[in-house]
Amino acid sequence: MTGHNAPHPAPPNTSDRTPDWRVPVIGGLPADQRLLGGVRELAETVVAALLERVPVYRRLPREQLTGELTRDTERRIRALAHTVRTGLPAPAEEFTAVREAAARRAEEGLPLDAVLLAHHLGLEVCWEFATRHARDDDAADLLALNRLLLDQLRQAVTAAGAGYLDGRRPATGRRDSARHSLLGALLAGTPADAAAERAGLRLSTGYAVLCLSLADHPDEHSPGVDPGIAALRKLRRFEAELDHRTRQSALTALTPTGGLALVPFGPSPGPDEDGAGEAPWPLLAAALAAAARAAGVPVLAGAAPATPAEVPGAAALAYEVLDVARAFGRPPGLHRLDDVLLEYQLTRPSQARSRLAALLEPLADAGELLITLHTHLAGGLSRRHTASVLHLHPNTVDYRLRRIAALTGLDPARPADLPRIAAAIAARTAEQASLAG
């Protein structure tokens, strides 16, 4: 085929196609259609080639390779097909996406040469795919396509290089630095109005102070996967969803294992306003659950409400609530002092706590009895439930409960003994946690 003009890209906003542009036809099929027709297969081929020829990418979690990286590759192929169809550069947002992806690779510790090589390799695979059925009379079209790919590569590499430098700079820009300064002022109990103004915020009348514990993601322990990259991805997903749920109003200081978040829940103070009001705990619990799902890990949180002046004390209390919830095996989610009142009180060292814990000492050498007692109370004193959970016959459960009563003098079948039994279990757990800590 002859008569095809080499591309002379025009500004993207002048037209939906460069004047006189004719789509390169390779092997009887327009090149853009060939690319789009095999976009999924082609993206998977690019990622497979990347793993084979740039081994450092094998450090990335598998879900990242089959998810984010494959989706990004598909997007780049569609952008390339747009350029082939129109003769125009891909839209600017495509190269913004390239820049952002390169910044993430920098944060994950991949070397710059590997990031740039990935773009070369991707377009090389696309070239081979688009031209595998080329004919002898396709020379002019091949030249046109080659020029387009080289121009696309130049723009992608430029964007990737700039993005990589962005990712290597300190993670906090001026805005984030100002927000961290505000968080620091609130935690220190110093006047925070000036810090809030620098951050472009106004102090809320009330904050929910959250102390967070993030579990490890399975990828952090997968063979061949860089645990630092997996942890960073987990944290990034958690922060992004928390930002979304709180409309980017939360002040955070987080690491892959947890940290602190202050979520405003009151209006900015007005002339007739006083006090923090009531925190929307169900909404906060839902936001935390959504962020945990996004991160793919269980998240445990201790929480306490505070006015700006009360933040230091609330942060200490929220951490203590988190510690208690963790020690007593509470399920993931949001926990306040009201949720762990008994356990919290029993974690305070005292003669009463030690003596309560000692009530169960006769069971120390009979682990199956302690397990039975825990399970029986947790299951609402249902012998059938206890038998089912422990895979026992109900008569065996009855026998064990009688043994507990004989050894301790506390009978789980006697309602008057139940508060003391529950307190003794909590006290014993607190004593063991203190010894372990």
Side-chain angles (χ1 to χ4, degrees):
M1 294 182 180
T2 59
H4 287 25
N5 296 326
H8 299 285
N13 60 354
T14 60
S15 168
D16 64 349
R17 180 173 295 200
T18 296
D20 301 324
W21 172 253
R22 295 177 62 188
V23 179
V25 176
I26 311 296
L29 186 67
D32 64 317
Q33 294 181 28
R34 191 177 297 280
L35 289 168
L36 291 175
V39 64
R40 182 68 187 183
E41 171 196 351
L42 185 51
E44 291 174 352
T45 302
V46 169
V47 172
L50 186 62
L51 295 178
E52 179 183 353
R53 295 171 56 180
V54 191
V56 70
Y57 272 84
R58 298 174 196 165
R59 293 163 45 191
L60 300 180
R62 178 166 181 77
E63 59 87 17
Q64 182 178 5
L65 296 172
T66 58
E68 176 194 339
L69 213 63
T70 300
R71 288 193 301 271
D72 284 352
T73 303
E74 288 185 22
R75 176 172 177 164
R76 297 295 304 126
I77 293 169
R78 295 183 190 280
L80 178 60
H82 165 86
T83 294
V84 172
R85 180 179 61 82
T86 64
L88 297 169
E93 57 265 25
E94 296 299 332
F95 297 105
T96 299
V98 169
R99 183 168 181 150
E100 292 171 348
R104 292 194 294 271
R105 301 296 86 80
E107 293 172 2
E108 293 160 356
L110 270 65
L112 176 59
D113 60 335
V115 175
L116 299 182
L117 181 57
H119 289 279
H120 284 265
L121 181 58
L123 284 175
E124 178 183 322
V125 172
C126 287
W127 168 260
E128 292 173 353
F129 180 85
T131 62
R132 64 175 60 166
H133 301 296
R135 302 170 180 169
D136 291 340
D137 59 352
D138 289 339
D141 297 80
L142 290 169
L143 286 173
L145 180 61
N146 181 259
R147 182 176 295 183
L148 275 179
L149 264 63
L150 288 176
D151 187 60
Q152 191 90 339
L153 177 61
R154 175 185 59 78
Q155 295 178 82
V157 167
T158 300
Y164 191 91
L165 292 178
D166 289 341
R168 297 296 292 178
R169 294 190 182 102
T172 56
R174 292 179 61 183
R175 174 180 173 275
D176 288 338
S177 178
R179 291 171 70 90
H180 285 171
S181 295
L182 172 57
L183 176 59
L186 288 167
L187 289 172
T190 57
D193 294 276
E197 186 176 349
R198 286 193 296 271
L201 300 171
R202 293 180 64 193
L203 288 181
S204 173
T205 56
Y207 289 93
V209 183
L210 311 180
C211 280
L212 304 163
S213 175
L214 278 64
D216 288 350
H217 192 280
D219 284 336
E220 294 177 62
H221 303 283
S222 295
V225 172
D226 187 317
I229 294 176
L232 185 63
R233 283 178 53 75
K234 170 191 73 178
L235 178 60
R236 186 186 293 139
R237 292 193 298 265
F238 180 85
E239 289 182 316
E241 185 63 24
L242 187 63
D243 273 351
H244 170 67
R245 294 279 175 163
T246 62
R247 299 180 181 179
Q248 298 185 333
S249 65
L251 303 172
T252 60
L254 298 173
T255 72
T257 59
L260 190 72
L262 267 63
V263 183
F265 60 79
S268 299
D272 300 322
E273 295 173 359
D274 184 29
E278 180 61 26
W281 295 115
L283 291 177
L284 287 172
L288 182 66
R293 286 193 300 272
V297 298
V299 177
L300 191 65
T307 63
E310 295 168 342
V311 165
L317 176 59
Y319 177 79
E320 290 175 343
V321 171
L322 171 63
D323 202 37
V324 169
R326 190 159 37 199
F328 284 86
R330 287 302 184 100
L334 191 72
H335 298 276
R336 295 179 288 156
L337 181 59
D338 286 352
D339 301 321
V340 292
L341 280 175
L342 175 63
E343 297 91 336
Y344 180 87
Q345 186 59 39
L346 290 172
T347 57
R348 309 305 98 181
S350 68
Q351 289 185 4
R353 188 182 81 175
S354 299
R355 294 179 69 173
L356 275 171
L359 293 176
L360 298 181
E361 190 59 30
L363 307 182
D365 296 327
E368 74 281 359
L369 296 183
L370 275 172
I371 292 172
T372 301
L373 185 58
H374 276 273
T375 305
H376 195 57
L377 262 68
L381 306 178
S382 166
R383 60 193 286 271
R384 291 187 178 278
H385 175 270
T386 303
S388 174
V389 171
L390 297 180
H391 306 290
L392 299 173
H393 192 280
N395 290 342
T396 304
V397 173
D398 290 338
Y399 167 76
R400 289 187 179 183
L401 294 177
R402 289 195 296 270
R403 286 283 296 152
I404 290 168
L407 289 171
T408 66
L410 299 170
D411 188 352
R414 189 162 58 229
D417 285 354
L418 291 178
R420 181 167 287 200
I421 292 172
I425 289 175
R428 190 173 189 278
T429 303
E431 293 271 293
Q432 291 177 329
S434 297
L435 292 173

